[in-house]
Amino acid sequence: MIIDENQLIAQLQSQDQKNHAFKKLISLYKERLYWHIRHIVKSHDDADDVLQNTFIKVFKNIDNFKGESKLYSWMYRIATNEALTHLKKNAKRLNLNSEEANNLAIKNLESDVYFEGEAIQLKLQKAIATLPEKQQLVFNMKYFQDLKYSEISEILETSEGALKASYHIAVKKIETYLTQD
């Protein structure tokens, strides 16, 4: 189903059409946003919570959306920020630094009944967890979601050149991690 984004935004910002349009928005984007969030937070339950918070923020703030970026870029930015905030809150609550929090997320992933990955996928997730936050984001968006650099640039508000460099460095680090044994 092809949806005109401007029409959908107008419906979302219209008080009498907002609820119906929001249901449409959720059906269009929930799966893509879920997987984007899941690659950041690792856990299915956490991803569900963050996805719900993301849609609540989108619903509350849709009237402030100015259309300076694509709607999905705006939502991805909200989802990314919500996921990172979630990770930071968890780390703070558990009194962990970011490396310890990443290790805990991977450990939880190993026991997550919703994780259907094989040993190589788990090793890849461990390799990704060793990357700095920005490289993790860029790698996940490019590798798993196959987003274009222009789209990632809009979401993360970073130049395409910087993103290409981050992705290249991330790939090299992951290759090194995967080939050491």
Side-chain angles (χ1 to χ4, degrees):
M1 151 174 58
I2 297 174
I3 301 282
D4 177 83
E5 188 170 283
N6 293 329
Q7 184 182 2
L8 181 59
I9 293 165
Q11 291 172 353
L12 286 163
Q13 293 176 339
S14 158
Q15 288 312 311
D16 57 328
Q17 296 179 40
K18 187 173 188 170
N19 289 337
H20 175 71
F22 196 70
K23 286 178 186 168
K24 200 183 311 181
L25 180 83
I26 289 172
S27 72
L28 282 171
Y29 292 107
K30 75 177 175 199
E31 191 172 336
R32 286 168 61 189
L33 285 175
Y34 168 84
W35 285 109
H36 170 65
I37 293 165
R38 176 77 186 263
H39 286 298
I40 298 170
V41 300
K42 308 295 184 227
S43 151
H44 166 73
D45 291 337
D46 288 348
D48 269 353
D49 290 346
V50 172
L51 180 64
Q52 186 173 0
N53 291 343
T54 298
F55 278 122
I56 290 169
K57 274 218 166 134
V58 168
F59 187 82
K60 286 182 177 178
N61 295 297
I62 193 66
D63 292 334
N64 301 327
F65 179 70
K66 304 284 186 252
E68 293 164 359
S69 65
K70 289 185 175 163
L71 182 61
Y72 85 86
S73 298
W74 180 70
M75 292 189 322
Y76 264 72
R77 193 172 318 125
I78 292 170
T80 302
N81 291 337
E82 285 295 305
L84 295 176
T85 298
H86 178 82
L87 290 177
K88 287 179 178 101
K89 279 182 187 172
N90 272 358
K92 188 175 182 179
R93 184 175 51 82
L94 299 170
N95 203 19
L96 302 172
N97 65 34
S98 62
E99 186 179 333
E100 293 167 332
N102 272 336
N103 290 338
L104 180 62
I106 292 299
K107 194 179 217 170
N108 290 339
L109 184 63
E110 290 176 34
S111 61
D112 187 341
V113 295
Y114 295 103
F115 180 70
E116 298 172 349
E118 297 171 8
I120 188 66
Q121 290 170 314
L122 192 57
K123 192 166 184 182
L124 174 61
Q125 289 301 322
K126 287 179 179 179
I128 294 168
T130 66
L131 299 173
E133 184 179 277
K134 183 176 180 188
Q135 288 176 12
Q136 284 186 36
L137 288 172
V138 173
F139 183 82
N140 284 333
M141 291 173 159
K142 187 77 184 132
Y143 183 82
F144 290 112
Q145 296 158 21
D146 199 26
L147 295 178
K148 294 179 176 74
Y149 285 112
S150 60
E151 294 168 322
I152 300 170
S153 171
E154 205 172 282
I155 293 164
L156 298 180
E157 298 176 321
T158 308
S159 75
E160 288 184 41
L163 293 172
K164 288 176 183 175
S166 288
Y167 183 74
H168 179 73
I169 293 166
V171 167
K172 290 292 177 208
K173 287 179 181 177
I174 289 169
E175 285 174 353
T176 301
Y177 184 94
L178 292 177
T179 55
Q180 62 178 267
D181 255 340

